[in-house]
Amino acid sequence: MKQPRQNGIGSDAKAILSDPLRNKGTAFTEEERDRLGLHGLLPNHVSTMDGQIKRRIAVLRAFSTPFEKYAFLRDLQDTNETLFYALLARHRSELLPLVYTPTVGEACVRFSEIYRRARGLFLSYPLKGRLFEILAALPNDDVEVICVTDGERILGLGDQGAGGMGIPIGKLSLYTDCAGIDPARTMPILLDTGTDNEELLDNPLYVGWRHHRVRGAEYDAFVEEFVEAVRKRWPRALLQWEDFAGPNAVTLLGRYRCRLPTFNDDIQGTAATALAAILAAERLAGIDLIERNIVVFGAGAAGCGIAELILGELVSRGLTREAALARIHAVDRDGLLIEHVNVVTASQARIARPHTEADAWLTQQQAPSLIETIERARPAVLIGTSGQFEAFDKPVIEAMTRHNDRPIILPLSNPAIRAEASAADVQTWSNGRAIIGTGSPSHGSNGAVTQVNNVYIFPGIGLGAVVSGAETITEAMFAEAAKCLASLVPDEDGDRLFPSTDHLAEIADSIALAVCRVAERDLGAIPPAGGWEDAIAGHRWAPVYRDPVSP
Ligand SMILES: NC(=O)C1=CN([C@@H]2O[C@H](COP(=O)(O)OP(=O)(O)OC[C@H]3O[C@@H](n4cnc5c(N)ncnc54)[C@H](OP(=O)(O)O)[C@@H]3O)[C@@H](O)[C@H]2O)C=CC1
Ligand SMILES: CC(=O)C(=O)O
Ligand SMILES: [Mg+2]
């Protein structure tokens, strides 16, 4: 069929080349170049995808900083998305630290500097009252997974305002890479309700709404309008809340968890990841969790979520809630959390030491510090979700090592510049005895250390939710996801807790199956004729070139 022409060049051809989901770059064949009117718009060489991957990885490796590599990858994602995902699948462990933590943190901080092309949806507060109209105007009818942030607690880097958009973009890239969700069916969203980051407000380059954060009833009404618009436009979509500040994270999850398929990744995804790490480490250390104490340092959204899921696990092993609670010691900025002494939030109140123990814990009205808590509780496990760089110093690690043959140390805060400890320091200070997991990728003397990050959980939760059609995302799904992840024994010898990030796609499939089974058991989801496994496999979008005229 003859193509419409514009100045001698096919305008459809130009549209294809500028659509990242249809563009193939130099991999358009001679036949396609003839048929689509692409001659002249491309250099002569006809490449294969394999050749393109080799060329791109060579160029990427030549950049000297992770940030430059990040910008190069984002540019590729915005010009040729199929190639971006093929590259990611081929070199996942090498590229994960770029598209995700730690580099995505720097990318959020410098978002305005590298902003080039529209991706995702910026719903800023001045658009209130028009949110459904904006969603309705989008051509994306089949959105399956949404990741939304308001940018207030970006990793451990605090308020990044509109720059927080880097996180939903990164998370959804991993939904596609690991769980095979079609990129056309994902939607990154930034709720731009302002920023209280004065540096951003003063920065002439800042691309967000230059206004202090809207809070209270106005914020709640804006989020409510957003959720209702999502429900109306994409009634079946999964909504993932990401990197909201602690109080909003908890409140919004509580408000919406029964109204649509939704979860908070920092609370629930992280909890499942940490529980999986603890279950795997329990095996390695040869201990029984119900006999041992756990210290969680940083009792915010992630820390409280982790404590709750561990409590659920201990109760499922036969302890009463009270006995299980006796195993948890949550430490925040004012020391060990003790009821009516230094508890600030309702989530903290649920995991604090009871007030009846206050006299036993307090010294001159002071709650014990982290190290004092470790000396007294002699925990087997120490988890960091405080965003406090190097809070696990030498005395802390030495205390953990004195009380355990194999201390389990999980500094989970991201990015690496906010981690409570580096794997290398923990290894040195524990004389190589610690079992370690870090939130961002890191190395010890025996190579890569396990990355204990919710990227091991959320893609599988999302895929399972989409395939099963679950209308609610339940706590049982996270508990089963944790058990599933802990059961996946790494190929490598040594102290690895999970298979390496190279295996994230298989892991997502396994977790998705566990989620589908929970949906069937608890929510009455009906397995398709071929079974859940086939449905999961059949749902995968693969990064292979398709005919650009009928994508
Ligand atoms: N590895 C992973 O998969 C994940 C890691 N994380 C990481 O966990 C960290 C926290 O995230 P999140 O829980 O959502 O954030 P929150 O802000 O909700 O929680 C952080 C908590 O740490 C407390 N805190 C601050 N300073 C100190 C201190 N000096 N000593 C002890 N506690 C302190 C904060 O208190 P206050 O509120 O008073 O400041 C708050 O209660 C981030 O760095 C994030 O990257 C989060 C999710 C997943
Ligand atoms: C990993 C993640 O979700 C975080 O650090 O916030
Ligand atoms: Mg997060």
Side-chain angles (χ1 to χ4, degrees):
M1 197 176 72
K2 216 166 158 42
Q3 298 299 312
R5 299 276 151 180
Q6 187 186 31
N7 299 332
I9 292 173
S11 59
D12 281 4
K14 281 205 158 174
I16 288 170
L17 291 181
S18 53
D19 178 351
L21 286 167
R22 293 193 292 162
N23 185 22
K24 305 182 185 184
T26 56
F28 281 109
T29 62
E30 289 291 351
E31 183 279 324
E32 286 169 331
R33 293 174 191 217
D34 282 339
R35 178 162 53 95
L36 303 170
L38 294 172
H39 287 296
L41 296 177
L42 292 165
N44 175 265
H45 175 68
V46 176
S47 196
T48 59
M49 182 180 270
D50 188 60
Q52 287 180 309
I53 291 174
K54 287 185 174 131
R55 201 161 59 237
R56 293 292 180 145
I57 198 73
V59 173
L60 177 126
R61 285 172 180 158
F63 286 111
S64 48
T65 68
F67 181 68
E68 287 168 334
K69 293 179 185 183
Y70 173 90
F72 174 77
L73 285 169
R74 283 282 300 102
D75 201 47
L76 177 59
Q77 185 178 20
D78 285 346
T79 48
N80 183 343
E81 211 152 345
T82 314
L83 179 58
F84 169 79
Y85 284 111
L87 188 73
L88 202 49
R90 177 90 58 94
H91 299 281
R92 185 177 292 126
S93 288
E94 179 178 348
L95 302 189
L96 195 66
L98 300 171
V99 296
Y100 195 50
T101 183
T103 311
V104 74
E106 185 179 354
C108 289
V109 173
R110 300 174 64 180
F111 186 81
S112 297
E113 215 180 293
I114 55 165
Y115 181 78
R116 283 193 200 137
R117 286 189 190 218
R119 172 168 288 271
L121 210 47
F122 290 86
L123 299 178
S124 33
Y125 190 74
L127 298 170
K128 73 174 184 299
R130 298 172 50 195
L131 300 190
F132 178 70
E133 178 196 323
I134 291 165
L135 268 52
L138 294 170
N140 315 52
D141 289 337
D142 303 318
V143 169
E144 290 181 332
V145 185
I146 297 165
C147 182
V148 63
T149 186
D150 70 358
E152 191 172 6
R153 195 287 280 145
I154 292 301
L155 307 178
L157 300 168
D159 187 346
Q160 297 304 328
M165 181 57 124
I167 294 292
I169 290 174
K171 293 268 176 184
L172 287 168
S173 300
L174 298 175
Y175 266 107
T176 297
D177 177 44
C178 307
I181 303 290
D182 182 340
R185 297 181 174 201
T186 64
M187 183 59 70
I189 299 185
L190 187 282
L191 294 181
D192 188 354
T193 50
T195 177
D196 288 343
N197 181 332
E198 298 297 334
E199 269 181 46
L200 291 180
L201 290 171
D202 290 344
N203 182 351
L205 293 182
Y206 181 55
V207 294
W209 182 44
R210 209 173 288 268
H211 196 284
H212 280 106
R213 277 187 183 275
V214 169
R215 299 199 181 273
E218 290 177 322
Y219 175 89
D220 286 348
F222 187 67
V223 178
E224 174 71 17
E225 183 190 339
F226 161 68
V227 171
E228 280 311 310
V230 164
R231 270 161 47 93
K232 203 163 146 197
R233 178 70 173 96
W234 300 303
R236 299 175 63 81
L238 173 75
L239 178 64
Q240 172 170 326
W241 304 92
E242 191 70 50
D243 288 9
F244 283 72
N248 285 333
V250 173
T251 307
L252 296 175
L253 177 63
R255 188 174 299 153
Y256 294 113
R257 66 191 312 166
C258 297
R259 276 173 53 184
L260 73 166
T262 195
F263 72 99
N264 181 297
D265 187 37
D266 300 298
I267 300 175
Q268 297 166 290
T270 312
T273 317
L275 177 59
I278 293 168
L279 297 177
E282 182 186 24
R283 263 195 326 257
L284 275 177
I287 58 168
D288 186 345
L289 211 54
I290 62 173
E291 295 167 353
R292 304 302 305 271
N293 289 337
I294 295 173
V295 168
V296 180
F297 181 70
C304 292
I306 292 170
E308 286 291 349
L309 202 62
I310 295 172
L311 283 171
E313 167 65 17
L314 295 178
V315 169
S316 78
R317 293 190 192 188
L319 296 190
T320 61
R321 166 111 188 162
E322 198 183 11
L325 204 50
R327 296 277 161 242
I328 306 285
H329 295 69
V331 179
D332 206 73
R333 59 169 70 239
D334 293 325
L336 178 69
L337 290 181
I338 304 170
E339 198 185 14
H340 304 319
V341 172
N342 53 0
V343 164
V344 178
T345 67
S347 307
Q348 291 177 344
R350 289 175 54 81
I351 57 167
R353 308 302 320 138
H355 192 246
T356 47
E357 292 179 13
D359 287 345
W361 284 106
L362 293 175
T363 311
Q364 293 174 340
Q365 296 309 306
Q366 288 285 310
S369 65
L370 173 63
I371 189 135
E372 288 162 349
T373 305
I374 291 172
E375 293 295 6
R376 291 186 53 186
R378 301 174 170 225
V381 183
L382 173 61
I383 301 165
T385 46
S386 65
Q388 299 303 303
F389 184 54
E390 296 188 338
F392 296 172
D393 57 11
K394 193 166 181 232
V396 164
I397 302 302
E398 284 176 346
M400 286 295 296
T401 309
R402 248 193 328 278
H403 299 305
N404 295 281
D405 290 337
R406 306 289 326 266
I408 299 164
I409 316 268
L410 307 173
L412 300 189
S413 291
N414 299 312
I417 53 164
R418 292 290 184 271
E420 287 80 5
S422 71
D425 281 347
V426 176
Q427 223 167 29
T428 306
W429 296 331
S430 69
N431 300 318
R433 278 162 46 197
I435 297 169
I436 309 169
T438 54
S440 297
S442 61
H443 282 78
S445 54
N446 299 330
V449 164
T450 311
Q451 187 178 355
V452 178
N453 188 294
N454 50 32
V455 67
Y456 275 93
I457 293 288
F458 69 76
I461 293 280
L463 180 57
V466 168
V467 168
S468 68
E471 289 178 3
T472 316
I473 310 302
T474 65
E475 280 306 295
M477 291 177 181
F478 291 97
E480 288 305 318
K483 284 185 192 139
C484 172
L485 175 54
S487 73
L488 302 174
V489 180
D491 303 333
E492 307 87 345
D493 290 336
D495 283 347
R496 281 204 66 86
L497 302 171
F498 306 149
S500 83
T501 49
D502 283 331
H503 300 282
L504 281 171
E506 298 102 284
I507 293 170
D509 279 350
S510 302
I511 291 175
L513 181 59
V515 170
C516 288
R517 288 186 174 144
V518 174
E520 181 180 345
R521 185 192 69 196
D522 297 348
L523 305 175
I526 299 168
W532 292 121
E533 282 100 328
D534 276 4
I536 289 167
H539 201 79
R540 272 192 174 276
W541 175 92
V544 291
Y545 286 133
R546 294 162 179 81
D547 189 325
V549 179
S550 51

